[in-house]
Short mmCIF file of all heavy atoms in Angstrom, two decimals:
data_model
loop_
_atom_site.label_atom_id
_atom_site.label_comp_id
_atom_site.label_asym_id
_atom_site.label_seq_id
_atom_site.Cartn_x
_atom_site.Cartn_y
_atom_site.Cartn_z
N ASP A 152 -1.15 -15.29 7.19
CA ASP A 152 -2.45 -15.51 7.82
C ASP A 152 -2.64 -16.97 8.22
O ASP A 152 -3.76 -17.42 8.41
CB ASP A 152 -3.57 -15.10 6.85
CG ASP A 152 -3.60 -13.60 6.61
OD1 ASP A 152 -3.47 -12.86 7.59
OD2 ASP A 152 -3.77 -13.19 5.46
N SER A 153 -1.56 -17.70 8.37
CA SER A 153 -1.69 -19.14 8.61
C SER A 153 -2.29 -19.47 9.96
O SER A 153 -2.79 -20.58 10.16
CB SER A 153 -0.32 -19.82 8.48
OG SER A 153 0.55 -19.39 9.50
N LEU A 154 -2.25 -18.52 10.91
CA LEU A 154 -2.82 -18.77 12.23
C LEU A 154 -4.10 -17.97 12.47
O LEU A 154 -4.55 -17.86 13.62
CB LEU A 154 -1.80 -18.44 13.33
CG LEU A 154 -0.52 -19.28 13.34
CD1 LEU A 154 0.35 -18.88 14.52
CD2 LEU A 154 -0.84 -20.77 13.40
N ARG A 155 -4.68 -17.43 11.41
CA ARG A 155 -5.90 -16.66 11.60
C ARG A 155 -6.99 -17.55 12.19
O ARG A 155 -7.20 -18.67 11.74
CB ARG A 155 -6.36 -16.06 10.27
CG ARG A 155 -7.50 -15.07 10.44
CD ARG A 155 -7.65 -14.19 9.20
NE ARG A 155 -6.44 -13.43 8.93
CZ ARG A 155 -6.08 -12.32 9.56
NH1 ARG A 155 -6.83 -11.87 10.55
NH2 ARG A 155 -4.98 -11.68 9.24
N GLY A 156 -7.65 -17.05 13.21
CA GLY A 156 -8.69 -17.82 13.90
C GLY A 156 -8.17 -18.59 15.10
O GLY A 156 -8.96 -19.12 15.88
N LYS A 157 -6.85 -18.66 15.25
CA LYS A 157 -6.25 -19.35 16.39
C LYS A 157 -5.99 -18.36 17.54
O LYS A 157 -5.61 -17.22 17.31
CB LYS A 157 -4.93 -20.02 15.99
CG LYS A 157 -5.06 -21.06 14.88
CD LYS A 157 -5.87 -22.26 15.33
CE LYS A 157 -5.88 -23.34 14.26
NZ LYS A 157 -6.68 -24.53 14.70
N VAL A 158 -6.18 -18.85 18.75
CA VAL A 158 -5.96 -18.02 19.94
C VAL A 158 -4.83 -18.63 20.76
O VAL A 158 -4.86 -19.81 21.09
CB VAL A 158 -7.23 -17.93 20.81
CG1 VAL A 158 -6.96 -17.11 22.07
CG2 VAL A 158 -8.38 -17.31 20.01
N VAL A 159 -3.84 -17.81 21.05
CA VAL A 159 -2.70 -18.24 21.86
C VAL A 159 -2.62 -17.33 23.09
O VAL A 159 -2.66 -16.10 22.95
CB VAL A 159 -1.38 -18.19 21.08
CG1 VAL A 159 -0.21 -18.61 21.98
CG2 VAL A 159 -1.45 -19.07 19.84
N VAL A 160 -2.51 -17.93 24.26
CA VAL A 160 -2.32 -17.16 25.49
C VAL A 160 -0.89 -17.37 25.96
O VAL A 160 -0.42 -18.50 26.09
CB VAL A 160 -3.32 -17.58 26.58
CG1 VAL A 160 -2.95 -16.92 27.92
CG2 VAL A 160 -4.73 -17.19 26.18
N ILE A 161 -0.19 -16.26 26.17
CA ILE A 161 1.19 -16.29 26.68
C ILE A 161 1.14 -15.85 28.14
O ILE A 161 0.55 -14.82 28.47
CB ILE A 161 2.10 -15.35 25.87
CG1 ILE A 161 2.05 -15.71 24.38
CG2 ILE A 161 3.52 -15.42 26.38
CD1 ILE A 161 2.76 -14.70 23.49
N ASP A 162 1.77 -16.64 28.98
CA ASP A 162 1.74 -16.40 30.43
C ASP A 162 3.15 -16.06 30.91
O ASP A 162 3.92 -16.95 31.25
CB ASP A 162 1.20 -17.64 31.13
CG ASP A 162 1.15 -17.50 32.64
OD1 ASP A 162 1.02 -16.36 33.12
OD2 ASP A 162 1.25 -18.54 33.33
N PRO A 163 3.51 -14.75 30.94
CA PRO A 163 4.85 -14.39 31.45
C PRO A 163 4.92 -14.65 32.95
O PRO A 163 4.19 -14.02 33.73
CB PRO A 163 4.95 -12.89 31.14
CG PRO A 163 3.79 -12.58 30.23
CD PRO A 163 2.73 -13.57 30.56
N GLY A 164 5.77 -15.55 33.37
CA GLY A 164 5.83 -15.94 34.77
C GLY A 164 6.15 -14.79 35.70
O GLY A 164 6.97 -13.93 35.39
N HIS A 165 5.47 -14.78 36.87
CA HIS A 165 5.71 -13.82 37.93
C HIS A 165 5.29 -12.41 37.49
O HIS A 165 4.47 -12.26 36.59
CB HIS A 165 7.15 -13.89 38.41
CG HIS A 165 7.60 -15.30 38.66
ND1 HIS A 165 7.13 -16.06 39.71
CD2 HIS A 165 8.42 -16.12 37.96
CE1 HIS A 165 7.65 -17.28 39.66
NE2 HIS A 165 8.44 -17.35 38.60
N ASN A 166 5.85 -11.40 38.10
CA ASN A 166 5.47 -10.02 37.82
C ASN A 166 6.62 -9.15 38.33
O ASN A 166 7.12 -9.38 39.44
CB ASN A 166 4.17 -9.67 38.54
CG ASN A 166 3.65 -8.28 38.24
OD1 ASN A 166 4.38 -7.31 38.33
ND2 ASN A 166 2.38 -8.19 37.90
N PRO A 167 7.06 -8.17 37.55
CA PRO A 167 8.22 -7.37 37.97
C PRO A 167 8.07 -6.68 39.32
O PRO A 167 9.08 -6.37 39.97
CB PRO A 167 8.34 -6.33 36.84
CG PRO A 167 7.74 -7.00 35.65
CD PRO A 167 6.60 -7.82 36.19
N THR A 168 6.84 -6.43 39.78
CA THR A 168 6.66 -5.75 41.07
C THR A 168 6.03 -6.65 42.13
O THR A 168 5.53 -6.14 43.14
CB THR A 168 5.80 -4.48 40.88
OG1 THR A 168 4.57 -4.81 40.22
CG2 THR A 168 6.55 -3.45 40.03
N ASN A 169 6.09 -7.96 41.94
CA ASN A 169 5.59 -8.88 42.97
C ASN A 169 6.27 -8.65 44.32
O ASN A 169 5.65 -8.78 45.38
CB ASN A 169 5.82 -10.33 42.55
CG ASN A 169 4.63 -10.93 41.81
OD1 ASN A 169 3.60 -10.29 41.64
ND2 ASN A 169 4.78 -12.17 41.38
N TYR A 170 7.55 -8.30 44.28
CA TYR A 170 8.32 -8.16 45.52
C TYR A 170 7.78 -7.05 46.42
O TYR A 170 8.07 -7.01 47.63
CB TYR A 170 9.80 -7.93 45.20
CG TYR A 170 10.11 -6.57 44.60
CD1 TYR A 170 10.50 -5.51 45.41
CD2 TYR A 170 10.00 -6.35 43.23
CE1 TYR A 170 10.79 -4.27 44.87
CE2 TYR A 170 10.29 -5.12 42.68
CZ TYR A 170 10.67 -4.08 43.50
OH TYR A 170 10.94 -2.84 42.97
N ARG A 171 7.01 -6.15 45.87
CA ARG A 171 6.43 -5.07 46.66
C ARG A 171 5.12 -5.49 47.34
O ARG A 171 4.55 -4.72 48.11
CB ARG A 171 6.15 -3.84 45.79
CG ARG A 171 7.40 -3.22 45.17
CD ARG A 171 7.01 -2.08 44.25
NE ARG A 171 8.16 -1.49 43.59
CZ ARG A 171 8.09 -0.64 42.57
NH1 ARG A 171 6.89 -0.30 42.08
NH2 ARG A 171 9.18 -0.15 42.02
N HIS A 172 4.65 -6.67 47.02
CA HIS A 172 3.33 -7.10 47.48
C HIS A 172 3.40 -8.51 48.05
O HIS A 172 2.66 -9.42 47.66
CB HIS A 172 2.32 -7.03 46.33
CG HIS A 172 2.21 -5.68 45.70
ND1 HIS A 172 1.35 -4.70 46.17
CD2 HIS A 172 2.89 -5.13 44.66
CE1 HIS A 172 1.49 -3.61 45.44
NE2 HIS A 172 2.42 -3.84 44.51
N THR A 173 4.31 -8.70 48.98
CA THR A 173 4.53 -10.04 49.52
C THR A 173 3.31 -10.61 50.22
O THR A 173 3.04 -11.81 50.12
CB THR A 173 5.73 -10.02 50.48
OG1 THR A 173 5.50 -9.02 51.49
CG2 THR A 173 7.02 -9.70 49.74
N ALA A 174 2.56 -9.80 50.92
CA ALA A 174 1.37 -10.31 51.60
C ALA A 174 0.34 -10.83 50.59
O ALA A 174 -0.30 -11.86 50.81
CB ALA A 174 0.74 -9.21 52.47
N ASP A 175 0.21 -10.12 49.48
CA ASP A 175 -0.77 -10.53 48.46
C ASP A 175 -0.33 -11.82 47.76
O ASP A 175 -1.15 -12.71 47.55
CB ASP A 175 -0.94 -9.42 47.43
CG ASP A 175 -1.54 -8.17 48.02
OD1 ASP A 175 -2.69 -8.24 48.51
OD2 ASP A 175 -0.88 -7.11 47.99
N ILE A 176 0.93 -11.91 47.40
CA ILE A 176 1.34 -13.08 46.64
C ILE A 176 1.53 -14.31 47.53
O ILE A 176 1.55 -15.44 47.03
CB ILE A 176 2.63 -12.81 45.83
CG1 ILE A 176 3.82 -12.57 46.75
CG2 ILE A 176 2.42 -11.68 44.85
CD1 ILE A 176 5.15 -12.45 46.00
N ASN A 177 1.63 -14.11 48.84
CA ASN A 177 1.75 -15.25 49.75
C ASN A 177 0.39 -15.83 50.12
O ASN A 177 0.32 -16.91 50.74
CB ASN A 177 2.50 -14.85 51.02
CG ASN A 177 3.99 -14.69 50.77
OD1 ASN A 177 4.55 -15.31 49.87
ND2 ASN A 177 4.65 -13.85 51.57
N ARG A 178 -0.69 -15.15 49.75
CA ARG A 178 -2.03 -15.67 50.02
C ARG A 178 -2.23 -16.97 49.26
O ARG A 178 -1.92 -17.07 48.08
CB ARG A 178 -3.07 -14.63 49.58
CG ARG A 178 -4.51 -15.08 49.71
CD ARG A 178 -5.45 -13.93 49.34
NE ARG A 178 -5.20 -13.41 48.01
CZ ARG A 178 -5.76 -13.91 46.90
NH1 ARG A 178 -6.55 -14.99 46.96
NH2 ARG A 178 -5.50 -13.35 45.73
N GLU A 179 -2.77 -17.98 49.91
CA GLU A 179 -2.92 -19.29 49.28
C GLU A 179 -4.21 -19.37 48.46
O GLU A 179 -5.23 -18.79 48.82
CB GLU A 179 -2.91 -20.40 50.35
CG GLU A 179 -1.55 -20.58 51.00
CD GLU A 179 -1.52 -21.79 51.92
OE1 GLU A 179 -2.61 -22.32 52.24
OE2 GLU A 179 -0.41 -22.21 52.30
N VAL A 180 -4.12 -20.10 47.36
CA VAL A 180 -5.27 -20.32 46.48
C VAL A 180 -5.40 -21.81 46.22
O VAL A 180 -4.45 -22.59 46.39
CB VAL A 180 -5.12 -19.56 45.14
CG1 VAL A 180 -5.07 -18.06 45.37
CG2 VAL A 180 -3.87 -20.02 44.39
N ASP A 181 -6.59 -22.23 45.81
CA ASP A 181 -6.87 -23.63 45.54
C ASP A 181 -6.32 -24.02 44.17
O ASP A 181 -6.64 -23.38 43.16
CB ASP A 181 -8.39 -23.85 45.57
CG ASP A 181 -8.79 -25.31 45.39
OD1 ASP A 181 -7.89 -26.18 45.37
OD2 ASP A 181 -10.00 -25.57 45.25
N ILE A 182 -5.47 -25.05 44.10
CA ILE A 182 -4.95 -25.51 42.81
C ILE A 182 -5.48 -26.91 42.47
O ILE A 182 -4.94 -27.59 41.61
CB ILE A 182 -3.41 -25.52 42.79
CG1 ILE A 182 -2.84 -26.54 43.78
CG2 ILE A 182 -2.87 -24.12 43.06
CD1 ILE A 182 -1.36 -26.81 43.57
#
Side-chain angles (χ1 to χ4, degrees):
D152 292 317
S153 66
L154 297 183
R155 189 163 300 281
K157 300 294 185 180
V158 178
V159 179
V160 171
I161 304 171
D162 179 28
H165 313 290
N166 184 310
T168 54
N169 268 358
Y170 70 94
R171 297 176 182 168
H172 303 273
T173 55
D175 295 299
I176 66 174
N177 286 333
R178 176 176 57 87
E179 291 187 346
V180 297
D181 184 7
I182 65 167

